[in-house]
Amino acid sequence: MYNNLKANTERGLLTSLLPCEWFAVRTRPRHEKVVTSQLENSGIETFLPLCPQLRSWSDRRKMIDFPLFPGYVFVWTSRATQARVRIFQVRGILGFVGPNNQATPIPAHQIEAVRSLLKAQVECRPHPYLTVGQRVRIQNGALQGLEGIFVRIANDHSLVVSVDLINRAVSIRLEGYEVDPL
């Protein structure tokens, strides 16, 4: 029994020494908040970007937080098998995002770009993922230094911040911001 405990402890120490990275996991439809709660309860750091949207019913209107990337939750974990098994034990998770459901890390700067948008409380909305367009950097204001793709939608200039691995993006209006091409 002592040897099993020692082996499990050493294995746990080994997985905790491996570097952590951001990964995206697919969830069942409309299970993002439940999955996030379950992952956090089991000690796994998560990131679920939410954006408020006004919803109307026949008797009332209410602001509700919806996932910015429906069907996805981001997790901060190592590549160790034990860490991935803990994630798969959560109900509502369909798998990691990547080729053949293999966990593919997301660059930390992409997660930080989405976090800075949410922290600045800039109005943002889901946007179709773009692979073409010029990359730009905002030069002033609360979003100074933020990089993205410059697009024009019906006289509306926008910046698209992309999370490449899940082929999703968020757009913000650039009105009042100065941008320089990269």
Side-chain angles (χ1 to χ4, degrees):
M1 182 171 158
Y2 173 75
N3 289 338
N4 276 348
L5 181 61
K6 182 179 176 186
N8 286 337
T9 303
E10 288 173 358
R11 214 176 297 125
L13 288 175
L14 180 63
T15 59
S16 67
L17 295 176
L18 293 174
C20 289
E21 299 173 283
W22 284 107
F23 297 93
V25 291
R26 272 187 308 284
T27 68
R28 293 179 63 195
R30 296 182 302 279
H31 280 68
E32 300 89 355
K33 291 179 184 179
V34 172
V35 164
T36 298
S37 176
Q38 291 178 31
L39 286 168
E40 288 175 351
N41 286 340
S42 60
I44 298 169
E45 184 179 345
T46 65
F47 175 51
L48 176 61
L50 299 171
C51 61
Q53 294 179 3
L54 185 62
R55 291 295 177 174
S56 298
W57 291 271
S58 60
D59 61 336
R60 68 188 185 285
R61 294 169 55 159
K62 185 176 180 180
M63 290 296 278
I64 299 184
D65 287 331
F66 283 94
L68 199 52
F69 305 114
Y72 297 96
V73 172
F74 301 102
V75 294
W76 177 255
T77 189
S78 71
R79 291 179 184 246
T81 304
Q82 268 188 313
R84 292 197 322 249
V85 167
R86 280 182 47 206
I87 291 169
F88 274 117
Q89 290 173 341
V90 171
R91 289 183 49 180
I93 289 184
L94 299 176
F96 280 93
V97 177
N100 299 324
N101 285 330
Q102 295 298 314
T104 303
I106 296 173
H109 72 273
Q110 291 181 0
I111 298 293
E112 289 308 314
V114 174
R115 280 192 166 162
S116 66
L117 285 175
L118 297 175
K119 185 177 179 181
Q121 296 181 343
V122 176
E123 181 184 336
C124 59
R125 60 188 183 274
H127 191 278
Y129 180 75
L130 301 174
T131 58
V132 295
Q134 187 173 13
R135 293 194 60 79
V136 296
R137 178 181 295 132
I138 296 178
Q139 296 301 319
N140 66 335
L143 301 177
Q144 182 175 357
L146 188 65
E147 297 179 9
I149 300 169
F150 179 74
V151 296
R152 185 175 182 182
I153 304 169
N155 295 329
D156 182 17
H157 294 88
S158 298
L159 176 75
V160 176
V161 175
S162 302
V163 179
D164 297 331
L165 183 63
I166 63 171
N167 292 338
R168 299 279 195 239
V170 178
S171 70
I172 61 167
R173 294 187 68 208
L174 283 177
E175 191 172 307
Y177 290 103
E178 294 177 28
V179 296
D180 286 341
L182 294 177

